[in-house]
Amino acid sequence: MIPSERAHLFTAAITHPGMTGKSNEDRYAISAYRLENDGSTPSIFAIVADGVGGHKAGEIAAEIAVNTISHAIATSDGVTPTQTLANALIQA
């Protein structure tokens, strides 16, 4: 995947800590890529990990998941996205 400076679609993200008033343990990432050097096939990858508030280190687990999966997608060739994502989930 070739990182793109700007996505071809407008993207936005927001999380909410929930009604309990505890800290927000959710993590997310949005990345834009191109599949070829000429930029003719744009792609957006978005991931959300729920930190499961109340459990020990929920925010750390969510951060590891987002970072590990995002890195696997970024370093892939984009040819087999389903398999790449499945392997990334297992790795995370």
Side-chain angles (χ1 to χ4, degrees):
M1 305 280 273
I2 303 165
S4 183
E5 201 170 302
R6 196 176 293 197
H8 65 289
L9 298 173
F10 174 76
T11 58
I14 189 169
T15 65
H16 189 279
M19 303 306 278
T20 62
K22 295 183 179 180
S23 65
N24 191 344
E25 297 182 353
D26 301 342
R27 299 294 184 265
Y28 64 88
I30 301 171
S31 304
Y33 300 101
R34 299 183 323 266
L35 298 181
E36 298 97 12
N37 282 326
D38 66 6
S40 64
T41 307
S43 178
I44 294 177
F45 177 73
I47 181 171
V48 177
D50 187 334
V52 189
H55 292 277
K56 290 183 180 180
E59 74 283 3
I60 295 170
E63 186 78 19
I64 289 170
V66 166
N67 290 343
T68 301
I69 295 167
S70 293
H71 178 73
I73 297 301
T75 58
S76 74
D77 58 11
V79 175
T80 56
T82 304
Q83 188 61 46
T84 300
L85 184 56
N87 291 341
L89 288 168
I90 291 167
Q91 184 181 4

